């Protein structure tokens, strides 16, 4: 009798165990992707492309800023070496300079036009040369800032992947059950999508802030050179007017 009761208890426990819903989630990336809702899959694919785009911009900007800083250093060495401004102008006119070279070329072009014109052209020379150098600096700054807005958008939109959370609440409402097997699939896919979003967003935030500071420093160098070169040309104008 006791042996039969024990067998009945064991059978009841086995039935109860088999009646519980099985939930054996896989933590592999591919399994989480293929088990996700179609909307979450689309979001994940978009975030992967956004991450690749983000890194392409980051690498391109790092190389661009490095090349520009090196070119500005070389130009400053030549400019302050005592070389004739006319000779430097002729050398740069044959190329497409960037940075300080572009600012210098714009100012010297206006200087040449003023020399070829009447003497009265020097009267408003200072205002004109400052204007052309400001335009050159603005163009260089726009070129340096190109693509940074994409990093800002990726940084702000990357983490907002909550479709899986919505699926979890819909499952709770449909089954009227808040057990882990009901809630966990939706939450896991939401967290997985959010993790992919953060992979794209975190580098974008860091790079955006770093590049903004870099552009500000380069712009300050351009503006400082423009002020110095404007003073040099103004002195030459005064000498010509006094002669």
């Amino acid at each position: 009798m006791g042996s039969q009761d024990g067998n009945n208890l064991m059978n009841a426990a086995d039935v109860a165990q088999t009646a519980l819903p099985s939930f054996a989630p896989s933590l592999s990336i591919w399994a989480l992707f293929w088990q996700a809702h179609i909307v979450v899959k689309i979001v994940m694919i978009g975030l992967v492309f956004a991450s690749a785009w983000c890194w392409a911009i980051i690498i391109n900007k790092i190389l661009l800023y490095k090349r520009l800083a090196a070119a500005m250093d070389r130009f400053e060495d030549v400019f302050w070496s005592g070389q004739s401004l006319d000779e430097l102008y002729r050398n740069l006119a044959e190329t497409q300079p960037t940075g300080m070279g572009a600012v210098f070329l714009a100012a010297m072009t206006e200087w040449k036009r003023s020399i070829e014109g009447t003497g009265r052209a020097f009267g408003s020379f200072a205002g004109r040369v400052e204007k052309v150098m400001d335009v050159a600096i603005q163009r260089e700054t726009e070129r340096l800032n190109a693509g940074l807005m994409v990093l800002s958008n990726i940084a702000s939109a990357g983490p907002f992947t909550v479709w899986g959370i919505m699926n979890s609440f819909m499952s709770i409402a449909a089954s009227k059950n808040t057990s882990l097997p009901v809630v966990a699939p939706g939450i896991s896919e939401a967290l997985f999508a959010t993790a992919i979003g953060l992979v794209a967003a975190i580098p974008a935030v860091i790079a955006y802030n770093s590049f903004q500071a870099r552009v500000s420093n380069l712009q300050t160098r351009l503006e400082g050179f423009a002020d110095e070169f404007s003073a040099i040309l103004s002195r030459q104008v005064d000498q010509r007017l006094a002669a």
Side-chain angles (χ1 to χ4, degrees), residues 40-122:
V40 181
K41 290 180 181 178
I42 295 174
V43 172
M44 291 180 184
I45 293 174
L47 290 173
V48 169
F49 279 107
S51 180
W53 191 6
C54 171
W55 279 106
I57 294 174
I58 291 174
I59 295 173
N60 177 67
K61 290 301 179 183
I62 290 175
L63 297 177
L64 173 62
Y65 298 157
K66 184 177 181 179
R67 288 196 304 267
L68 182 59
M72 291 170 66
D73 291 338
R74 291 194 300 269
F75 176 83
E76 283 187 315
D77 291 339
V78 175
F79 181 81
W80 297 111
S81 65
Q83 182 180 358
S84 169
L85 295 181
D86 291 333
E87 182 181 354
L88 181 57
Y89 172 75
R90 286 192 298 270
N91 294 336
L92 289 177
E94 300 174 355
T95 62
Q96 293 182 344
T98 58
M100 290 180 182
V103 177
F104 171 83
L105 190 62
M108 284 297 294
T109 301
E110 184 61 33
W111 166 259
K112 295 292 184 182
R113 291 172 181 171
S114 300
I115 292 177
E116 294 172 357
T118 62
R120 288 176 298 178
F122 284 115

Side-chain angles (χ1 to χ4, degrees), residues 54 149-160 197-198 200-206 208:
C54 171
M149 188 57 64
V150 176
L151 296 180
S152 177
N153 292 334
I154 294 176
S156 61
F160 298 105
L198 291 175
I202 293 176
V205 171
I206 297 174
Y208 178 80

Side-chain angles (χ1 to χ4, degrees), residues 150-231:
V150 176
L151 296 180
S152 177
N153 292 334
I154 294 176
S156 61
F160 298 105
T161 50
V162 295
W163 185 267
I165 302 295
M166 294 171 57
N167 284 341
S168 295
F169 284 107
M170 292 171 63
S171 300
I172 292 173
S175 63
K176 298 180 180 180
N177 187 357
T178 58
S179 63
L180 184 62
V182 174
V183 178
I187 294 179
S188 63
E189 71 181 31
L191 294 177
F192 180 52
T194 301
I196 297 178
L198 291 175
V199 169
I202 293 176
V205 171
I206 297 174
Y208 178 80
N209 294 331
S210 176
F211 291 160
Q212 284 288 338
R214 185 64 169 161
V215 170
S216 179
N217 291 335
L218 293 173
Q219 183 178 357
T220 300
R221 288 186 64 182
L222 292 175
E223 292 173 349
F225 170 76
D227 292 338
E228 291 177 336
F229 190 47
S230 177

